[in-house]
Amino acid sequence: QVQLVESGGGLVQAGGSLRLSCAASGSFAGISSMGWYRQAPGKQRELVATITPGSRTNYEDSVKGRFTISRDNAKNAIYLQMNSLKPEDTAVYYCNARLLMYSSPNYNDYWGQGTQVTVSS
C-alpha cells in the first residue's frame, strides 16, 4: 500500500517560516513529478509548486521568491520551505506524487492526507 506522509504544518505569525516534508512509502516501480498543492476554505485546490526527478521546479506566481521546493530522490521525499508567510497562505497543504505501480503501465496521481498551515496577521 502506497502512502504519502506529510509533516511540518502549524500556526505561525505573518512573516514567519515553516518547512513541510512529504515522503512516499510502499511498493511502486517509479516516481515522476512530485509537488505541493493547497486548498483554502471555500476555494478550489491549487498548485503551489512542483519538482521533477531532475529537480526542475515550477511555482505558482504568488509564492515565487518566498517558497522553495526541494527533493531527495533517495528518500522519495520532497520539502517545501515557506518564508515570509502571509495570512493568504493559510490553507491545507497536500503532497502529490505521480507514481508508477507494478500493476499498471501508467503513472497515476497519489495524495497525502493534508497538513494545516495557518498564518496569523
Side-chain angles (χ1 to χ4, degrees):
Q1 182 177 358
V2 172
Q3 280 189 311
L4 297 180
V5 180
E6 302 140 333
S7 62
L11 172 65
V12 65
Q13 288 188 333
S17 298
L18 284 174
R19 186 174 186 254
L20 305 183
S21 300
C22 171
S25 63
S27 180
F28 44 87
I31 304 181
S32 180
S33 178
M34 298 182 73
W36 293 95
Y37 292 70
R38 65 187 179 187
Q39 187 166 18
K43 295 187 176 182
Q44 289 189 333
R45 190 174 298 188
E46 65 175 4
L47 179 147
V48 176
T50 60
I51 186 166
T52 68
S55 294
R56 181 177 299 176
T57 59
N58 179 52
Y59 293 94
E60 194 269 329
D61 285 345
S62 71
V63 308
K64 287 179 180 178
R66 300 188 298 121
F67 291 9
T68 301
I69 189 170
S70 59
R71 179 168 179 156
D72 186 336
N73 290 327
K75 296 181 179 180
N76 296 325
I78 57 170
Y79 310 93
L80 186 68
Q81 178 66 42
M82 304 185 292
N83 298 327
S84 302
L85 282 160
K86 304 175 181 180
E88 50 263 43
D89 295 317
T90 295
V92 178
Y93 283 69
Y94 295 93
C95 175
N96 168 269
R98 307 214 82 197
L99 302 179
L100 179 67
M101 309 307 288
Y102 291 105
S103 59
S104 171
N106 302 312
Y107 283 88
N108 289 293
D109 285 318
Y110 289 79
W111 296 90
Q113 79 284 359
T115 185
Q116 177 70 46
V117 172
T118 302
V119 185
S120 63
S121 57

